[in-house]
Amino acid sequence: VATVCWVGGIILMLAYMWLGWLRLHRSLRQAVPEIVESDGKQIKIYRTENQKAPFLLGISSPKIYLPYGMGGKELEYVLAHEMMHIRRRDYLLKPISFIVLSLYWFHPLVWVAYLLLGKDIEMACDEQVLRENATLDRVEYARALLACSSESHKFYVCPVAFGESDVKVRVKNVLNYKKPGFWVTVIALIAAVAVGVCLLARERNHPVKFRFQMLPYPFLDARNESDSCKRFTDTPMLNS
């Protein structure tokens, strides 16, 4: 019964992802390609009137979809954000993480991890954009986030949307962002490597010993009791 429930949950989760992708893809059939210039580069985007928030969609060749009427500084910030997603390959990470969630749909901590991953993806992308664009106006960037979040109310699995996740936290993070110092980054990297080495280290010179004792069964008589109480002591089982 448990196996049937588990498999049934996986099928429902994957069906939700597939149907959501089909519905979104159907709404983008009339999207119009357009070439725009941002930061001295020409970028191909797709304009659509069926979606009110910008997002990135695709696996092998992700495309940027934008609503009609978006332009100016807002367009510049959105394109910088979505291009950063492409560089970081976040468009692959999100569907893969949902597949993992589908396998462990019964575990509440996996749901928490999935939601936190979505927030971390967006915040990391925001910070990377700010780090590489020192002259970027943080207030205007935050306003672009708020403007897009007001229209982003549908939940899809596949696309990476500019205004999704916890926008309030993202706005605070953008306004309070400070570029980490060189030594802070070095210390954090050394600490991460040290923790990883400690977790992977294993003792290789001491065999693992187990002590087993078989207790007598109540239905055995006293004559066979001594035979059922076999002891195994100090037997090396595993060598690290």
Side-chain angles (χ1 to χ4, degrees):
V1 176
T3 303
V4 173
C5 292
W6 176 59
V7 174
I10 294 175
I11 293 175
L12 289 176
M13 294 286 288
L14 295 179
Y16 175 82
M17 182 178 75
W18 179 250
L19 292 176
W21 183 88
L22 288 178
R23 181 182 177 186
L24 181 59
H25 189 267
R26 189 179 299 112
S27 69
L28 299 175
R29 288 179 178 177
Q30 304 300 324
V32 178
E34 179 182 340
I35 302 296
V36 297
E37 186 173 346
S38 177
D39 196 20
K41 300 179 181 178
Q42 289 188 339
I43 302 174
K44 186 177 183 179
I45 64 170
Y46 291 82
R47 296 281 189 177
T48 177
E49 59 183 8
N50 296 325
Q51 299 294 328
K52 303 303 181 182
F55 60 90
L56 182 69
L57 180 64
I59 301 298
S60 58
S61 56
K63 301 175 182 177
I64 300 175
Y65 292 89
L66 302 175
Y68 283 105
M70 177 176 289
K73 285 294 184 180
E74 184 180 10
L75 175 61
E76 180 182 344
Y77 298 148
V78 168
L79 289 179
H81 184 91
E82 299 302 336
M83 291 301 295
M84 188 61 65
H85 277 309
I86 294 177
R87 286 175 51 187
R88 292 165 50 87
R89 291 181 172 80
D90 292 332
Y91 57 89
L92 297 176
L93 184 58
K94 191 169 183 181
I96 291 175
S97 63
F98 189 84
I99 293 175
V100 174
L101 175 65
S102 301
L103 296 176
Y104 297 93
W105 59 266
F106 54 88
H107 203 306
L109 293 181
V110 179
W111 283 89
V112 174
Y114 177 77
L115 296 176
L116 292 177
L117 176 64
K119 293 181 180 180
D120 288 343
I121 288 175
E122 294 302 326
M123 293 181 66
C125 194
D126 291 334
E127 292 179 358
Q128 189 68 24
V129 171
L130 296 175
R131 188 179 300 114
E132 296 186 3
N133 297 272
T135 60
L136 186 143
D137 190 333
R138 299 183 187 180
V139 176
E140 293 298 326
Y141 188 92
R143 287 177 179 173
L145 278 175
L146 292 174
C148 294
S149 66
S150 63
E151 301 290 350
S152 179
H153 57 277
K154 296 180 181 179
F155 175 74
Y156 294 109
V157 176
C158 296
V160 182
F162 177 71
E164 69 177 355
S165 188
D166 195 338
V167 176
K168 183 178 180 180
V169 174
R170 289 176 61 190
V171 168
K172 290 182 178 179
N173 186 61
V174 167
L175 296 177
N176 298 324
Y177 173 76
K178 293 182 179 180
K179 187 176 180 179
F182 172 78
W183 289 110
V184 174
T185 304
V186 171
I187 293 175
L189 180 61
I190 294 175
V193 173
V195 171
V197 171
C198 292
L199 292 176
L200 294 176
R202 299 177 59 186
E203 294 184 1
R204 298 182 178 274
N205 298 323
H206 302 284
V208 179
K209 298 182 179 180
F210 297 92
R211 182 184 298 271
F212 297 97
Q213 178 177 355
M214 297 181 61
L215 298 177
Y217 294 97
F219 55 82
L220 297 178
D221 57 18
R223 291 174 301 175
N224 296 329
E225 181 176 345
S226 59
D227 295 333
S228 64
C229 298
K230 298 178 181 179
R231 298 176 180 271
F232 299 89
T233 60
D234 295 336
T235 302
M237 302 295 292
L238 297 174
N239 291 323
S240 298

